Amino acid sequence: MPPQHSKSGDPARSLALLWRTQEPASRRRGKPGLSVDRIVLAATEITDTEGLAALSMRRVAEALGVGTMSLYTYVPGKGELIDLMVDAAYAHLDFGDRSGDWRERLRRIAHANRDLYIRHPWMLQTVTTRLLGPNLIAKYDHELSAVDGLGLSDIEMDSTVSLVNGYVESTARKVLGSEQVARESGMDDEQWWRTYDPLLAALIDDSQYPVASRVGSAVGTAHQAVYDPDHEFSFGLERVLDGVQVLVDARSAERSADSAEPDAPDRTSTRPRDRGCGPLPS
């Protein structure tokens, strides 16, 4: 299904809902039982189990045992509900402490985001570029703090965080896709490998594909599967961090070069142009 995002035409109303700055009309009228948080929790449980395609205001209302229209006094529609679900999910990110160097901090951030996607696969089908909820802002602030003080510009800090999160998102998609194939086929990667490796060995001429045969055999022996998602994630993450290291080292070298330059002599008090005498003669 296509990516899901808020379809609200009123940004102020969406922000008020995310930040809980406006009390729902039903609560003002004294109607107990429902709340935004309860609706979000029910919607998240449905979506975790059945997928984003199963989510609807009617389905949530059924799970809560209320009429569908009663939800709309709390949440304007499905788009806003999804935004609330995403922001609520961010509240449960476990980044651990802030100890260690910047590489270790970014590692923890990457693993925490990956775990979040595994717990809530539907989040990979959402668009969050315009989501400005409190938990997303807190997440962003924490992630930026991992690279603060390294000499990067503010733009470079933002891009570094986006690079790591983009890598995490792409690898999580691959893992979840593999899990879906396993569920639909009734065979996980290890079982598939044990079944098809002998068949492939009988079909493939190693001399015709020498490099692929050698490397594929080594991978199969090491992982007992076509690939090991944990190994691939860790290997790729370290290469991403190596790239960030190049940038950090470059900025450090620039600072060292700047500090090593001798101070230029101060002639501001003797130059005629500074006394309003016009340009210096050639």
Side-chain angles (χ1 to χ4, degrees), residues 15 18-19 83 87 128-137:
L15 287 174
L18 283 163
W19 290 82
D83 280 356
D87 197 65
T128 59
T129 52
R130 295 184 179 182
L131 176 65
L132 298 172
N135 295 314
L136 181 139
I137 299 300

Side-chain angles (χ1 to χ4, degrees), residues 102-234:
W102 66 265
R103 288 184 72 117
E104 181 57 33
R105 293 195 295 269
L106 283 181
R107 268 190 217 103
R108 286 199 294 268
I109 287 168
H111 281 277
N113 278 291
R114 182 179 186 242
D115 291 344
L116 184 69
Y117 286 134
I118 300 303
R119 290 197 305 272
H120 306 297
W122 53 268
M123 292 184 69
L124 293 171
Q125 295 176 273
T126 63
V127 177
T128 59
T129 52
R130 295 184 179 182
L131 176 65
L132 298 172
N135 295 314
L136 181 139
I137 299 300
K139 170 183 184 291
Y140 182 54
D141 185 80
H142 180 92
E143 292 170 344
L144 288 173
S145 70
V147 291
D148 193 21
L150 299 180
L152 306 183
S153 71
D154 288 348
I155 302 301
E156 289 170 339
M157 288 170 58
D158 175 83
S159 295
T160 297
V161 167
S162 294
L163 174 66
V164 172
N165 285 339
Y167 169 74
V168 172
E169 182 176 331
S170 67
T171 55
R173 289 184 189 279
K174 187 173 182 180
V175 170
L176 293 169
S178 178
E179 290 178 353
Q180 182 177 354
V181 169
R183 286 193 303 271
E184 293 175 353
S185 66
M187 183 182 299
D188 62 25
D189 284 347
E190 183 176 350
Q191 292 169 325
W192 185 92
W193 180 257
R194 288 200 304 267
T195 301
Y196 283 91
D197 181 42
L199 301 176
L200 290 172
L203 293 171
I204 296 176
D205 183 354
D206 289 353
S207 63
Q208 188 175 1
Y209 310 102
V211 179
S213 297
R214 185 187 78 241
V215 173
S217 177
V219 170
T221 300
H223 304 317
Q224 289 301 300
V226 177
Y227 86 111
D228 182 325
D230 292 333
H231 168 80
E232 297 299 333
F233 177 77
S234 297

Side-chain angles (χ1 to χ4, degrees), residues 6-64:
S6 173
K7 300 175 178 63
S8 173
D10 187 349
R13 187 178 184 186
S14 293
L15 287 174
L17 191 60
L18 283 163
W19 290 82
R20 306 296 200 275
T21 60
Q22 183 174 345
E23 192 175 23
S26 59
R27 180 173 295 177
R28 292 197 299 269
R29 292 195 298 267
K31 294 184 177 179
L34 282 181
S35 69
V36 172
D37 291 338
R38 188 180 171 203
I39 292 169
V40 170
L41 179 60
T44 300
E45 290 174 348
I46 291 168
T47 311
D48 284 346
T49 304
E50 304 174 31
L52 196 56
L55 180 66
S56 68
M57 299 296 278
R58 176 177 294 181
R59 181 72 180 82
V60 176
E62 290 174 353
L64 292 170

